[in-house]
Amino acid sequence: MFTIESYTNSLKEGLQQHSDQLIANIKETTKLHYYNKIDLLDFTAFVQSHALSITMFSMDREASEVFYQGEDSSVFGGSYDLLEEIESYDIPDEKEDEFWEFYDQNDEVLSNIETKAIVEWFADCWNKADGKIVKLPVYFSFHDYDECFDLHKKEWISDGDKWF
């Protein structure tokens, strides 16, 4: 039997299993020499079913990804995959139909729980990786969501506000 509490706990445990990997990958991004045309970094989570991937995009203020195509191999511009298709929640095969019925009945509540848990987990990993040493504005968002989390200011803002 699935409950909101058991789902929340399992989701948080599933995310925690990938914390060391995420922290190490965030640390790698703090060492990058960012191309001077980059205005902000956008860490974007792509959530599908019970899987998650996170990519960092280097962006300008016109909401376009910035690429560096010069000769200096030490300069970074583009995207950086932090996590690729991790499983954030384990559903036993024999319980899959029951789980999706539970999820459909609690979709809005569970979606809000997921958003909060993923952002808190990422922000915690960001802090443990000393991400604040990156001086560029840095945001965490979900693909196609209207809000994003400002990692320096530790607050939610409209996705459109990060471009100004």
Coordinates of all heavy atoms in Angstrom, one line a residue, residues 5-22 50-54 83 85-91 114 117-118 121-122 125:
E5 N 3.2 9.8 2.8 CA 4.4 9.8 3.6 C 5.5 8.8 3.2 O 6.7 9.1 3.1 CB 4.0 9.5 5.1 CG 5.2 9.6 6.0 CD 4.8 9.3 7.5 OE1 3.6 9.3 7.8 OE2 5.7 9.1 8.3
S6 N 5.0 7.5 2.8 CA 6.0 6.5 2.4 C 6.6 6.9 1.0 O 7.8 6.7 0.8 CB 5.4 5.1 2.3 OG 4.4 5.1 1.3
Y7 N 5.8 7.5 0.2 CA 6.4 8.0 -1.1 C 7.4 9.1 -0.9 O 8.5 9.0 -1.5 CB 5.2 8.5 -2.0 CG 5.8 9.1 -3.3 CD1 6.2 8.3 -4.3 CD2 5.9 10.5 -3.5 CE1 6.7 8.8 -5.5 CE2 6.4 11.0 -4.6 CZ 6.9 10.2 -5.6 OH 7.4 10.7 -6.8
T8 N 7.1 10.0 0.0 CA 8.0 11.1 0.3 C 9.3 10.6 0.8 O 10.4 11.0 0.4 CB 7.4 12.1 1.3 OG1 6.1 12.6 0.7 CG2 8.3 13.3 1.6
N9 N 9.2 9.7 1.8 CA 10.4 9.2 2.4 C 11.3 8.4 1.4 O 12.5 8.5 1.3 CB 10.1 8.3 3.6 CG 9.6 9.1 4.7 OD1 9.8 10.3 4.9 ND2 8.8 8.4 5.6
S10 N 10.6 7.6 0.5 CA 11.3 6.8 -0.5 C 12.0 7.7 -1.5 O 13.1 7.4 -2.0 CB 10.4 5.8 -1.2 OG 10.0 4.8 -0.2
L11 N 11.3 8.8 -1.9 CA 11.8 9.7 -2.9 C 13.1 10.3 -2.3 O 14.1 10.4 -3.0 CB 10.8 10.8 -3.2 CG 11.3 11.9 -4.1 CD1 11.7 11.5 -5.5 CD2 10.2 13.0 -4.2
K12 N 13.0 10.8 -1.1 CA 14.2 11.5 -0.5 C 15.4 10.5 -0.3 O 16.5 10.8 -0.6 CB 13.8 12.1 0.9 CG 12.9 13.3 0.8 CD 12.6 13.9 2.1 CE 11.7 15.1 2.0 NZ 11.3 15.7 3.3
E13 N 15.1 9.2 0.0 CA 16.1 8.2 0.1 C 16.7 7.9 -1.2 O 17.9 7.8 -1.4 CB 15.5 6.9 0.7 CG 15.2 7.0 2.2 CD 14.5 5.8 2.7 OE1 14.4 4.8 2.0 OE2 13.9 5.9 3.8
G14 N 15.9 7.9 -2.3 CA 16.4 7.6 -3.6 C 17.3 8.7 -4.1 O 18.3 8.5 -4.7
L15 N 16.9 10.0 -3.8 CA 17.8 11.1 -4.2 C 19.1 11.1 -3.4 O 20.2 11.3 -4.0 CB 17.0 12.4 -3.9 CG 15.8 12.7 -4.8 CD1 15.1 13.9 -4.3 CD2 16.2 12.9 -6.3
Q16 N 19.0 10.8 -2.1 CA 20.2 10.8 -1.3 C 21.3 9.8 -1.8 O 22.5 10.0 -1.7 CB 19.9 10.5 0.2 CG 19.3 11.6 0.9 CD 20.1 12.9 0.9 OE1 21.4 12.8 1.0 NE2 19.5 14.0 0.8
Q17 N 20.8 8.7 -2.4 CA 21.7 7.7 -3.0 C 22.7 8.3 -4.0 O 23.7 7.7 -4.3 CB 21.0 6.5 -3.5 CG 20.3 5.7 -2.5 CD 19.4 4.6 -3.1 OE1 19.5 4.3 -4.3 NE2 18.6 4.0 -2.3
H18 N 22.3 9.4 -4.6 CA 23.0 10.0 -5.7 C 23.7 11.3 -5.3 O 24.3 12.0 -6.1 CB 22.1 10.3 -6.9 CG 21.5 9.0 -7.4 ND1 22.1 8.1 -8.2 CD2 20.2 8.5 -7.2 CE1 21.3 7.1 -8.5 NE2 20.2 7.3 -7.9
S19 N 23.7 11.6 -4.0 CA 24.3 12.9 -3.5 C 25.8 13.0 -3.7 O 26.2 14.0 -4.2 CB 24.0 13.0 -2.0 OG 22.6 13.2 -1.8
D20 N 26.5 11.9 -3.4 CA 28.0 12.0 -3.6 C 28.3 12.3 -5.0 O 29.2 13.1 -5.3 CB 28.6 10.7 -3.1 CG 28.6 10.5 -1.6 OD1 28.3 11.5 -0.9 OD2 28.8 9.4 -1.1
Q21 N 27.7 11.6 -6.0 CA 27.9 11.8 -7.4 C 27.6 13.3 -7.8 O 28.3 13.9 -8.5 CB 27.1 10.8 -8.2 CG 27.3 11.0 -9.7 CD 26.4 10.1 -10.5 OE1 25.5 9.4 -10.0 NE2 26.5 10.2 -11.8
L22 N 26.4 13.8 -7.3 CA 26.0 15.1 -7.7 C 27.0 16.1 -7.1 O 27.4 17.1 -7.8 CB 24.6 15.4 -7.2 CG 24.0 16.8 -7.5 CD1 24.1 17.1 -9.0 CD2 22.6 16.9 -6.9
H50 N 9.7 8.3 -12.9 CA 10.5 8.3 -11.6 C 12.0 8.3 -11.9 O 12.8 7.8 -11.1 CB 10.1 7.0 -10.7 CG 10.1 5.8 -11.5 ND1 9.1 5.3 -12.3 CD2 11.1 4.8 -11.5 CE1 9.4 4.2 -12.8 NE2 10.6 3.8 -12.4
A51 N 12.3 9.0 -13.0 CA 13.7 9.1 -13.3 C 14.0 10.6 -13.4 O 13.1 11.5 -13.6 CB 14.1 8.5 -14.6
L52 N 15.3 11.0 -13.2 CA 15.7 12.4 -13.2 C 17.1 12.5 -13.8 O 18.0 11.7 -13.6 CB 15.8 12.8 -11.7 CG 16.4 14.1 -11.4 CD1 15.4 15.3 -11.7 CD2 16.6 14.2 -9.9
S53 N 17.2 13.6 -14.6 CA 18.6 13.9 -15.1 C 18.7 15.4 -14.9 O 17.7 16.2 -14.8 CB 18.8 13.6 -16.6 OG 17.8 14.2 -17.4
I54 N 20.0 15.9 -14.7 CA 20.2 17.3 -14.5 C 21.4 17.8 -15.4 O 22.4 17.1 -15.4 CB 20.6 17.6 -13.0 CG1 19.4 17.2 -12.1 CG2 20.9 19.1 -12.8 CD1 19.8 17.2 -10.6
L83 N 23.9 14.7 -13.9 CA 23.3 13.4 -13.6 C 22.6 13.0 -14.8 O 21.8 13.8 -15.4 CB 22.4 13.4 -12.4 CG 23.0 13.7 -11.0 CD1 21.9 13.8 -10.0 CD2 24.0 12.7 -10.7
E85 N 19.8 10.3 -16.1 CA 18.8 9.3 -15.9 C 19.0 8.5 -14.6 O 19.1 7.2 -14.6 CB 18.7 8.3 -17.1 CG 18.1 9.0 -18.3 CD 16.7 9.3 -18.2 OE1 15.9 8.5 -17.7 OE2 16.3 10.4 -18.7
I86 N 19.0 9.1 -13.5 CA 19.0 8.4 -12.2 C 17.6 8.0 -11.8 O 16.7 8.7 -12.2 CB 19.7 9.2 -11.1 CG1 18.9 10.5 -10.7 CG2 21.1 9.6 -11.4 CD1 19.2 11.1 -9.4
E87 N 17.5 7.0 -11.1 CA 16.2 6.6 -10.6 C 15.9 7.2 -9.3 O 16.7 7.0 -8.3 CB 16.1 5.0 -10.5 CG 14.7 4.5 -10.3 CD 14.7 3.0 -10.4 OE1 14.6 2.5 -11.5 OE2 14.7 2.4 -9.3
S88 N 14.9 8.0 -9.2 CA 14.7 8.8 -7.9 C 13.7 8.0 -7.0 O 13.5 8.4 -5.9 CB 14.1 10.2 -8.2 OG 13.0 10.1 -9.0
Y89 N 13.0 7.0 -7.6 CA 12.0 6.3 -6.8 C 11.9 4.9 -7.4 O 11.7 4.8 -8.6 CB 10.7 7.0 -6.9 CG 9.6 6.4 -6.0 CD1 9.6 6.6 -4.6 CD2 8.6 5.5 -6.6 CE1 8.6 6.0 -3.8 CE2 7.7 4.9 -5.8 CZ 7.7 5.1 -4.4 OH 6.7 4.5 -3.6
D90 N 12.0 3.9 -6.6 CA 12.0 2.5 -7.1 C 10.6 1.9 -6.9 O 10.0 1.9 -5.8 CB 13.0 1.7 -6.3 CG 13.1 0.2 -6.8 OD1 13.0 0.0 -8.0 OD2 13.2 -0.7 -5.9
I91 N 10.0 1.5 -8.0 CA 8.7 0.9 -8.0 C 8.9 -0.6 -8.4 O 9.3 -1.0 -9.5 CB 7.8 1.5 -9.1 CG1 7.7 3.0 -8.9 CG2 6.4 0.9 -9.0 CD1 7.0 3.7 -10.0
E114 N 7.5 16.3 -4.8 CA 8.7 16.1 -5.7 C 9.5 17.3 -5.9 O 10.7 17.3 -5.8 CB 8.3 15.4 -7.0 CG 7.8 14.0 -6.9 CD 7.1 13.6 -8.2 OE1 6.9 14.3 -9.1 OE2 6.7 12.4 -8.2
A117 N 11.3 18.4 -2.7 CA 12.3 17.5 -2.3 C 13.5 17.6 -3.2 O 14.7 17.6 -2.8 CB 11.8 16.0 -2.3
I118 N 13.3 17.7 -4.5 CA 14.4 17.7 -5.5 C 15.2 19.0 -5.3 O 16.4 19.1 -5.3 CB 13.9 17.5 -6.9 CG1 13.4 16.1 -7.1 CG2 15.0 17.9 -8.0 CD1 12.6 15.9 -8.4
W121 N 17.2 18.9 -2.1 CA 18.3 18.0 -2.2 C 19.4 18.7 -3.1 O 20.6 18.7 -2.7 CB 17.8 16.7 -2.9 CG 18.8 15.8 -3.4 CD1 19.7 15.1 -2.6 CD2 19.1 15.5 -4.7 NE1 20.5 14.3 -3.4 CE2 20.2 14.5 -4.7 CE3 18.6 15.9 -6.0 CZ2 20.7 14.0 -5.9 CZ3 19.1 15.3 -7.1 CH2 20.1 14.4 -7.1
F122 N 19.0 19.3 -4.2 CA 20.0 19.9 -5.1 C 20.7 21.1 -4.4 O 21.9 21.2 -4.4 CB 19.4 20.4 -6.4 CG 20.4 20.9 -7.3 CD1 21.1 20.1 -8.2 CD2 20.9 22.3 -7.3 CE1 22.1 20.5 -9.1 CE2 21.9 22.7 -8.2 CZ 22.5 21.9 -9.1
C125 N 23.2 19.8 -1.9 CA 24.4 19.3 -2.6 C 25.2 20.5 -3.1 O 26.4 20.5 -3.0 CB 24.0 18.3 -3.7 SG 23.4 16.8 -3.2

